[in-house]
Structures are given as structure tokens and as C-alpha cells.
Amino acid sequence: VPGLVITVTCLNPALDITHEVAGVDWSGVNRPGQVRVRPGGKGLNVARTLLAIGAQARVLGLAGGGTGAEVTSALAGLGVPATFTPVGGETRRTFAVVDTRDGATALFNEPGPEVTADEYAAFLVTYEKALADSAAVVLSGSLPRGLPAGAYAELVAAAAAAGVPAVLDTHGEALLAGAAAGPAIVKPNVAELEALTGRAIAAADGPDLRAVSDAAAQLRLSGPDAVVVSLGPAGLWAATAEGTWRAVPPGEVFSNPTGAGDAVTAGLAHGLVLGQPWPERLRTAAALGTAAAAAPVAGEFSPGDYARVLAEVTVNRAEETP
Amino acid sequence: VPGLVITVTCLNPALDITHEVAGVDWSGVNRPGQVRVRPGGKGLNVARTLLAIGAQARVLGLAGGGTGAEVTSALAGLGVPATFTPVGGETRRTFAVVDTRDGATALFNEPGPEVTADEYAAFLVTYEKALADSAAVVLSGSLPRGLPAGAYAELVAAAAAAGVPAVLDTHGEALLAGAAAGPAIVKPNVAELEALTGRAIAAADGPDLRAVSDAAAQLRLSGPDAVVVSLGPAGLWAATAEGTWRAVPPGEVFSNPTGAGDAVTAGLAHGLVLGQPWPERLRTAAALGTAAAAAPVAGEFSPGDYARVLAEVTVNRAEETP
């Protein structure tokens, strides 16, 4: 492994704006009682979690326009080292309206900029330079418009050529192509795994573990060294070259699934870099996911929650088909 | 009159963001088909209209944070000269969600920054310098949080001391105090005039003109040289030292009342600077208001609409109590 830094890509970052309104008038004028603005995007959540557990992390990505400048300055304010290759388009906003009376949330996700081939080429130069001192790369989130579905596969291959292992957390075609390029770990959730393999996994009383096992094994055969499936409150399922494990966290407090998956990815990347055995790696990842799920803001968690949950996670070997 | 420029204050500008969604899910995830972003605030609309009709105009205001930077750069892109005194708070966003299936629009207005006494003092220095080459000032829109209700009165008085006439378009306490400071023109709409005088004016078949006349005369007695009431599709009512007039535009296309009032204010300020007689001034203002009301975006209008409507506006002397 060439270096110590975990490089996290965030190719389509966002400015997340939340308005809290007591009793929304959906066809009138509202004055939000509370406005919160923070940098968003799965890669940023991963990087923040890595920094919180003492890892060295940096963000590489693409950003543009006034919103891109806001994301950049907000990350600096949070102490997250980030280098964004400039793009001509405008970095996207996500806009959430939370009705504090009934808890209903409406989310409006802008598409983000269309990235040109030249802009992506400029990003690649930065990325390949960063590989020189990277212990691992985390490739996280959707690809922006304009990039081919094979972009993550190219980033996985470039990392492999530099001797740097990759952790991939995306979905659809980008996951399919990226997995085939042989990353160290891919981390789908249940919905992503269902979409990819065509198998029905989710059920009313939790995921069908036989279907999880089959789908994870199928995905692993396509290229990655390991497949770790995040099962929400039901924990993690890991299909690896050393065997298959399931990690089960305590309790069921699961208010923030987005942040939870990103915290799991951070835990897996950190364990990979430290060379932790799989059971320890999964314990850390499951505890981070559970602590993050209990936090109101993606990318954040309470260290107390993390320490408590870490002691309570159970990790057991599983049969390939339970 | 010291100069040629019309100075327009915009103390609480905004970044107006509009998402168009076909069939909004108010408790789920939406992907807007269209995202529009533009600088907003009544003063900015006034300045854009002034520039469009060939007047020299500049915007002075207060702006801060990433949103303030976006407003500043968007105005530069539109060719509007603007100087914003920096504030520590974040310039507000307005967020509109338009459901393109049923036309329903939900608007979310952030409050905007709380302005400190020091920030306002720094603005005053810029404002008083600008008076030296100003032909008129337009004081337009709500006061930001932190400023006293008498702030517009102070700006009117400073302009008067420099020999510069003021046009005031605001509401509530700020209008009451500002009118008493003796501006050249105040331009309330029906709702503002009702709130100020306690008289019922609006009616199902249009405004009660006797009530308009009485309320305008009452407001004029409090200090301003002239009161011009914007009546929506029913045109303008002007109570002045030279007499009382009513301007009636043709037709009833009135899709954008906010932009319409601001265009009227621009027309009144321009006519004031040119020394136009009241009937000509009101004709221009009513035509601009009608053309702006027909345009989808506040601050804009079609020159063709304006030219056509200008020929069709009727301006007649009115009795004080019709």
C-alpha cells in the first residue's frame, strides 16, 4: 500500500438545504422556522466518518458554480480536506421540506451538472496523482451526468495499477461495471442488490437471508474480492474469500438510512487499510452504521453511541446458504 | 438634482430558486424537471426594469455568505451594477415548488440575515456617497431583521438633505415612518394601503375607488408629495399636489403581481427623474406594470407588450372623492 490517506471520491456533491415548517401550505407562502445548510453527497459523509474515527481522509470530486463554492467553503469549515476539479455546470442542491407537525418530508433533488470529457480528464489527473499516497480509495455515490457508466471501473483499474485497493458504493450500471473491475469491496444495500441481481430480498419481517446470500455470492463472482451487503437494522452480510459472516447490531433505532450506509462504507475502508480480520472489520462497520443511523445528520454520529454499540454487535460465521 | 443615476436599495435581496415538478410527492423524493435560479428582491426587479427602459440605475444593498455571493455574481451576469455591503449573516433564499400538473405553487421564504448596527452604518456610508451622483433613490422592499422600522425614514431624510427625491415602496411600520419623512412618491398596493389606513378597499368586482381615494389622501397628508396606489388589473390611482389621476390599462392579463408592482415603481422613478407631467408618468408606469404582469419572470417584460399597452392606457383626472 503506497500511503496512509484514504481518498474518497465525491463526483456529484450537493448542497443540502433543509427547511423546517410547522404545518406546510403546499399551495401558498411558508416561512420556515429553521433553515439548515450543509455539504452533502455520499462521499462527503464517508470522509467525515473516517476523520471522526481518526483516519486520514481526503475528498476528491467535481464542483462548479456558486453552489460548488458553497460546498467547498462549508467543507473547509468542517475541517474536511477536499480538492474539487472545477466544472462549468452548477453543483446540485437537495432541498428538504420537513413538516414539523406531522414529520412528513418532501425531498427535491436537483440533477447536478453535466460533466464534459475534458473536465473528467482533468479530474483523472488529480485522482492519479492522489493514488501515490493513498492507502485505499472509496468510490461512493452516483456518477454525474455526462460520465460513462464505466467511469468507476476505470477508477478501480487505475487504483489497482497503483497498488491501491478500492471500496465501491454505488448502484445500477456503474456498480455492475465497477464490480467487474475487481475492487476490494463492494457495498450494496438491499435495494441495490435486488436491482442488480433481479432477486427478491426485502420482506416485511426483514431481508430474506438466503436470497441475500445467493445474490451476494453472485455479485462476488463478477469481480470484487468481497461483497458486504448493508441490511439496514438487520446489520451486515459479508461474502469474502475467507468466508461468509453476518454482523447484527443491537436495537432498532434507524432514523437515517443514508448516513448509515455511508458510515458502514467508512468502517469497511478503515478496516481494510488497517488490515483488520473480517469479523473485527464488520463489527466496526456495523457499529458505525448503527451509531450514524441514530444521528439526525448524515455524516455525523455520537462517539458514545458508537462505543456502546461496538460492544454489543455480534458477528458470526454464516453458511453460504443459511 | 445632483446626478443622472437612479439608486435602488435592496436591503434584503434573495436568491430565488424554482423547481418545476410534474406531480409533486409531498412526502417523498422528487426530481425536478426544471431548475431556475435568479437574483430576487423587489429592488432588483425595479433596477432591471429601469435598465430595460434605458435609465441609468445601480443597486445598493446588503448581502452575505455563499448565497450573497451567488446573488452578486448573478446580477453581474445580468448587467446590473450592484454594490452590496457585506454582512456576517447569510443572504436568504426563496424556494418555489411549481407542480406543472395542476399549477399549484408552494413558496418557502427564508428570513434572511439579521443585520447589525455596524453593518447598517457601513451601508449608510456607501448610500450617502452614492447620493452625490443620484437623480433619485428608490427604497424598495422589506427591511431586513435587525434594522429599526425608521430605517427608510432615515434614508429618505438623507436623500432630501442631498437634494435627491425618494420613491418608497414598502409596507407596515417602515412605510408609515418612511412616508412621514417626506418622500416624493410612495407606492402602496391595495393590501398595504388597507393595512396602513384600516380602510376596506378590496372588493369582489375590483377596488372601491372612493375608499382608495380617501386612503390615498389620508396617506398623502402624512408626508409624501404624492401617493400612487397600484390597483392590480384596475391600474393606478395617483394623489398628487397637482391633482388626482387614474390610469387604466387595457385587458386583464395579470399573472405576476410582484413583478408588476416593481415595474410600476420603476416607471414612476423614471418619470420623476425626467420631470414628466403626471399623466405621462402614470401612462408609462401603468404600461410597464401591465407588461411586467404578463411576463413569467419578475423584473422582466416584453418590449412589444410594453409598446402595445402604452398606446392603450387611458389616464383621466379623477375627483378627490369619486
Side-chain angles (χ1 to χ4, degrees):
Chain A
V1 170
L4 288 167
V5 184
I6 302 178
T7 296
V8 183
T9 67
C10 195
L11 300 181
N12 201 10
L15 191 70
D16 290 342
I17 304 164
T18 302
H19 282 187
E20 290 185 2
V21 180
V24 176
D25 179 352
W26 292 118
S27 60
V29 178
N30 301 273
R31 304 193 181 278
Q34 182 80 27
V35 175
R36 284 184 275 117
V37 180
R38 53 181 295 279
K42 290 169 65 65
L44 305 190
N45 298 334
V46 173
R48 293 188 66 194
T49 305
L50 284 168
L51 292 166
I53 58 176
Q56 285 190 55
R58 77 157 75 83
V59 169
L60 295 187
L62 298 152
T67 317
E70 285 193 73
V71 168
T72 303
S73 105
L75 276 179
L78 292 168
V80 179
T83 304
F84 289 108
T85 301
V87 295
E90 178 89 16
T91 290
R92 68 198 168 105
R93 298 176 192 81
T94 74
F95 186 79
V97 178
V98 180
D99 191 325
T100 52
R101 287 224 183 116
D102 61 9
T105 297
L107 194 63
F108 301 88
N109 290 337
E110 297 182 359
E114 179 126 11
V115 174
T116 68
D118 283 354
E119 289 163 351
Y120 179 57
F123 167 79
L124 265 184
V125 170
T126 307
Y127 175 78
E128 291 186 344
K129 263 189 214 153
L131 290 174
D133 69 348
S134 292
V137 294
V138 177
L139 309 171
S140 201
S142 302
L143 292 174
R145 293 185 296 164
L147 293 198
Y152 278 140
E154 187 177 5
L155 299 181
V156 169
V164 178
V167 179
L168 178 63
D169 179 11
T170 185
H171 56 87
E173 290 290 318
L175 171 53
L176 201 64
I185 303 171
V186 297
K187 193 221 68 60
N189 61 25
V190 166
E192 289 158 357
L193 195 60
E194 281 185 325
L196 207 65
T197 63
R199 292 170 193 268
I201 295 173
D205 57 346
D208 173 348
L209 291 182
R210 178 178 297 272
V212 169
S213 176
D214 290 350
Q218 177 187 336
L219 176 56
R220 198 170 89 78
L221 283 177
S222 77
D225 296 341
V227 174
V228 180
V229 187
S230 51
L231 305 170
L236 303 178
W237 181 277
T240 83
E242 289 104 82
T244 303
W245 283 271
R246 184 174 172 207
V248 179
E252 296 266 333
V253 180
F254 222 78
S255 63
N256 189 343
T258 304
D262 297 335
V264 167
T265 299
L268 294 174
H270 196 220
L272 171 70
V273 165
L274 298 178
Q276 285 175 342
W278 273 105
E280 193 180 341
R281 206 184 286 192
L282 293 168
R283 179 185 304 282
T284 306
L288 282 171
T290 303
V297 173
E300 299 182 3
F301 63 90
S302 140
D305 282 352
Y306 172 51
R308 183 177 49 74
V309 173
L310 192 62
E312 294 177 21
V313 173
T314 61
V315 182
N316 290 298
R317 272 210 182 254
E319 298 302 314
E320 274 287 319
T321 49
Chain B
V1 170
L4 287 167
V5 183
I6 301 178
T7 296
V8 183
T9 67
C10 195
L11 299 181
N12 202 11
L15 191 70
D16 290 343
I17 303 164
T18 302
H19 282 187
E20 290 185 2
V21 180
V24 176
D25 179 353
W26 292 117
S27 61
V29 178
N30 301 273
R31 305 194 181 278
Q34 183 80 28
V35 175
R36 284 184 274 117
V37 180
R38 52 181 296 279
K42 290 169 65 67
L44 305 190
N45 299 334
V46 173
R48 291 188 67 194
T49 305
L50 284 168
L51 292 165
I53 58 175
Q56 284 189 57
R58 76 157 75 84
V59 169
L60 295 187
L62 298 153
T67 316
E70 286 194 73
V71 167
T72 303
S73 103
L75 276 179
L78 292 168
V80 180
T83 305
F84 289 107
T85 301
V87 295
E90 178 89 17
T91 290
R92 67 199 169 104
R93 298 175 193 81
T94 74
F95 185 77
V97 178
V98 180
D99 192 325
T100 53
R101 287 225 184 116
D102 62 8
T105 297
L107 194 63
F108 301 88
N109 290 337
E110 297 182 358
E114 179 127 10
V115 174
T116 68
D118 283 354
E119 289 163 351
Y120 179 57
F123 167 80
L124 265 184
V125 170
T126 307
Y127 175 79
E128 291 185 344
K129 265 189 212 153
L131 290 173
D133 69 348
S134 293
V137 293
V138 177
L139 308 171
S140 202
S142 302
L143 292 174
R145 294 182 296 163
L147 294 200
Y152 278 140
E154 187 176 4
L155 299 181
V156 169
V164 179
V167 178
L168 178 63
D169 178 11
T170 186
H171 55 88
E173 290 291 316
L175 172 54
L176 201 65
I185 303 171
V186 296
K187 193 221 68 61
N189 62 24
V190 166
E192 288 157 359
L193 196 59
E194 281 184 326
L196 207 66
T197 64
R199 292 171 194 266
I201 295 174
D205 57 345
D208 174 347
L209 291 182
R210 179 178 296 272
V212 169
S213 176
D214 289 350
Q218 177 187 336
L219 177 55
R220 199 170 89 78
L221 282 176
S222 78
D225 296 341
V227 173
V228 179
V229 187
S230 51
L231 305 169
L236 303 177
W237 182 276
T240 83
E242 289 104 83
T244 303
W245 283 271
R246 184 175 171 207
V248 179
E252 296 267 331
V253 180
F254 223 78
S255 63
N256 189 342
T258 304
D262 298 335
V264 167
T265 300
L268 295 174
H270 196 221
L272 170 71
V273 165
L274 297 178
Q276 286 176 342
W278 273 104
E280 194 181 341
R281 206 184 285 192
L282 293 169
R283 179 185 303 281
T284 305
L288 282 171
T290 303
V297 174
E300 298 183 2
F301 62 91
S302 140
D305 282 353
Y306 172 51
R308 184 178 48 74
V309 174
L310 192 62
E312 294 177 21
V313 174
T314 60
V315 182
N316 290 301
R317 272 209 183 255
E319 298 303 313
E320 274 288 320
T321 48

